């Protein structure tokens, strides 16, 4: 498992949800924000911390994430707001299903990446992150 910390993750091309709706494959890279981003990448590469964040793509890890027990949110691209969903709903959205009755009007799932929190060796949060 990954070391504790904050990662940027995207659903793997092959990973999409594992059959049965219990897990999803994510590709993880280390995420740096604010001063930590500048500290890691330096100031010579102007593009490294655009919009106050950067990712280190080496190493990359692919993990299968269980869709149960953690906080999960998705982004409404039209409003740039997030709302909480269950693991079952995230699975349905990833396979092209319709959002639940509590979703924003005209909500359409977008393929933005996720902020993934690892605590005590377990993934505790999957928060889709609207990025420009």
């Amino acid at each position: 498992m990954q070391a504790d910390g904050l990662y940027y993750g995207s659903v793997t091309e092959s990973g999409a949800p594992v059959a049965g709706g219990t897990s999803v494959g994510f590709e993880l890279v280390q995420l740096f924000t604010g001063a930590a981003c500048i500290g890691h990448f330096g100031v010579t590469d102007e593009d490294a911390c655009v919009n106050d964040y950067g990712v280190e793509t080496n190493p990359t890890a692919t993990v299968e994430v269980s869709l149960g027990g953690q906080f999960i949110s998705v982004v409404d691209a039209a409003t740039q707001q997030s709302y909480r969903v269950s693991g079952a709903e995230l699975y349905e959205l990833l396979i092209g299903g319709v959002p639940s009755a509590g979703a924003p009007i005209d909500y359409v799932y977008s393929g933005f990446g996720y902020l993934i929190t690892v605590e005590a060796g377990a993934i505790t949060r999957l928060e889709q992150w609207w990025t420009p």
Side-chain angles (χ1 to χ4, degrees):
M1 190 40 142
Q2 298 302 116
D4 288 0
L6 185 62
Y7 296 85
Y8 181 82
S10 52
V11 175
T12 59
E13 288 184 25
S14 63
V18 174
T22 60
S23 61
V24 174
F26 279 91
E27 183 176 334
L28 301 183
V29 294
Q30 185 68 51
L31 174 70
F32 296 91
T33 61
C37 185
I38 294 168
H40 180 77
F41 293 105
V43 293
T44 57
D45 183 356
E46 294 177 7
D47 295 328
C49 297
V50 171
N51 296 315
D52 206 31
Y53 76 94
V55 294
E56 181 62 67
T57 58
N58 189 15
T60 298
T62 301
V63 297
E64 187 174 313
V65 178
S66 172
L67 294 178
Q70 69 278 90
F71 179 94
I72 302 172
S73 67
V74 293
V75 172
D76 180 3
T79 64
Q80 300 175 16
Q81 300 297 309
S82 296
Y83 77 99
R84 189 170 182 175
V85 297
S86 68
E89 182 169 1
L90 178 59
Y91 177 83
E92 286 299 317
L93 293 170
L94 289 169
I95 63 170
V98 297
S100 70
I105 295 173
D106 297 327
Y107 175 80
V108 176
Y109 180 80
S110 299
F112 293 111
Y114 289 78
L115 298 177
I116 298 179
T117 303
V118 176
E119 294 176 338
I123 293 175
T124 60
R125 296 178 79 85
L126 297 169
E127 299 173 81
Q128 195 175 38
W129 189 25
W130 183 91
T131 51

